[in-house]
Amino acid sequence: MRIDLHTHSDASDGTDTPAELVANAVAAGLDVVAITDHDTTAGWDEATAALDRAPAGFRLVRGMEMSCEGRGEDGDPVPVHLLAYLFDPADATFAAERIRQREERIGRLRSMAVKIAADYPIDPDAVLARVGTSAGRPHLAAALVAAGVVDSVGQAFEDLLSRKSKYYVPKLDAPLDDAVAMIAAAGGVSVIAHARARMRGRLLALDHIEELAELGLGGLEIFHPDHNDDDRALLAHLAASLDLIGTGSSDYHGDNKALRLGECSTDPEAFEALAARATGVSVLVAGATRSDGER
Ligand code: AMP
Ligand code: ZN
Ligand code: FE
Ligand code: FE
């Protein structure tokens, strides 16, 4: 069983449509894929419909990656990505928070685009026109590559789009403790994404993870392309000691990132534990009638 529990479509900052994401997951030899766009469930329905063209037994996990703010190792606030799986999309509190976050995202991307457009040949309106549902810096990175300002998305992030750039504009993310509670209240399972990816910036305090375990956190993403062997060992140890589920995933973004679907993956037992814990929506199975597919 090959299981990838963290991927993006063009509902946020990936480049595959949700249907292409499912087709590419099948082609990559995966048995289970989770769609986890940033702060939106907009890709869920199209991904679900694409199961009609997937081999019988292929499974889709409906999820999301939520933008949060935790406590850094130095005690100051730090951005944290929290994966949310199999929650009820109709839960009103959580749905309202997603809308708020997407409004933050679009306002912030517009501000950054306008600042950059003062110095470089990009059109802010054209950048925003390419956003599906959830805007992110990769949309701006793609425009900078297309305009020849930078050679790659990665180079855009190193310089113009980095947190240290004069063009960077922050957005207001959800307090991490609240987010864990919100996901649990919606019947979902929360998993902290790439918690030790220090190339992304400062790290979440390990004792904050311990506190979150008390508040209903479901798991930790252990196997991720941005984690080295030491990071994985530390997180595996932490997950075991706190009785958290340990997952693995590629964080695939289509052409916006140089990595493959299934590059890192989740153990079947961990996946089963995650699915068993959720009460919001079910894992969907290709070839099953919808009521059979629900579990
Ligand atoms: P934002 O959500 O607007 O803050 O932008 C963060 C997104 O950009 C995340 O989804 C990352 O996957 C992506 N990202 C961050 N750094 C890089 C990079 N060096 N290359 C490609 N994508 C990146
Ligand atoms: Zn992303
Ligand atoms: Fe992330
Ligand atoms: Fe991601």
Side-chain angles (χ1 to χ4, degrees):
M1 282 256 280
R2 198 84 186 148
I3 303 164
D4 189 339
L5 292 183
H6 180 171
T7 73
H8 297 267
S9 79
D10 66 3
S12 66
D13 56 5
T15 56
D16 291 358
T17 63
E20 287 167 349
L21 176 63
V22 169
N24 286 334
V26 170
L30 296 180
D31 303 286
V32 182
V33 73
I35 180 170
T36 54
D37 280 305
H38 298 280
D39 306 315
T40 184
T41 60
W44 283 17
D45 287 350
E46 187 185 319
T48 300
L51 284 182
D52 290 348
R53 295 178 295 282
F58 181 86
R59 287 188 267 181
L60 174 69
V61 176
R62 290 166 287 178
M64 194 182 88
E65 185 173 17
M66 188 175 182
S67 306
C68 302
E69 188 176 273
R71 188 174 71 246
E73 290 180 314
D74 53 8
D76 287 336
V78 68
V80 176
H81 283 173
L82 186 65
L83 293 157
Y85 295 106
L86 301 169
F87 55 87
D88 176 4
D91 179 275
T93 307
F94 195 13
E97 174 58 12
R98 292 196 292 276
I99 291 170
R100 187 198 69 77
Q101 291 204 318
R102 293 200 297 274
E103 285 171 355
E104 281 283 314
R105 282 182 165 279
I106 196 78
R108 177 276 206 129
L109 199 73
R110 184 182 293 112
S111 301
M112 286 185 69
V114 166
K115 284 170 90 168
I116 292 174
D119 294 336
Y120 296 96
I122 61 155
D123 174 2
D125 291 333
V127 173
L128 295 178
R130 297 187 69 91
V131 172
T133 304
S134 188
R137 280 176 288 164
H139 292 106
L140 205 36
L144 290 165
V145 173
V149 175
V150 293
D151 292 332
S152 67
V153 170
Q155 196 188 331
F157 270 94
E158 271 165 38
D159 184 12
L160 298 179
L161 303 183
S162 92
R163 284 177 195 280
K164 297 182 193 102
S165 163
K166 66 172 179 172
Y167 303 108
Y168 185 79
V169 176
K171 58 186 171 57
L172 191 61
D173 295 333
L176 189 52
D177 295 14
D178 296 355
V180 165
M182 219 179 275
I183 293 163
V189 181
S190 56
V191 173
I192 298 177
H194 47 71
R196 302 303 286 175
R198 64 184 62 68
M199 58 179 321
R200 293 168 182 254
R202 293 158 44 250
L203 296 180
L204 176 64
L206 295 179
D207 55 11
H208 196 178
I209 296 179
E210 290 173 17
E211 293 164 28
L212 293 163
E214 298 288 318
L215 297 175
L217 178 69
L220 298 175
E221 192 175 55
I222 296 173
F223 306 103
H224 184 281
D226 294 351
H227 286 159
N228 64 29
D229 288 347
D230 288 347
D231 300 329
R232 294 170 188 201
L234 181 151
L235 289 166
H237 178 78
L238 196 59
S241 67
L242 297 174
D243 200 19
L244 297 172
I245 298 166
T247 68
S249 39
S250 64
D251 205 353
Y252 173 77
H253 279 71
D255 298 333
N256 275 344
K257 259 192 186 177
L259 42 80
R260 291 166 292 111
L261 275 163
E263 187 157 315
C264 294
S265 62
T266 297
D267 290 337
E269 308 78 58
F271 167 62
E272 294 300 340
L274 189 150
R277 187 174 161 133
T279 58
V281 296
S282 59
V283 175
L284 296 175
V285 186
T289 62
R290 185 59 59 78
S291 57
D292 288 348
E294 302 268 352
R295 25 166 275 170

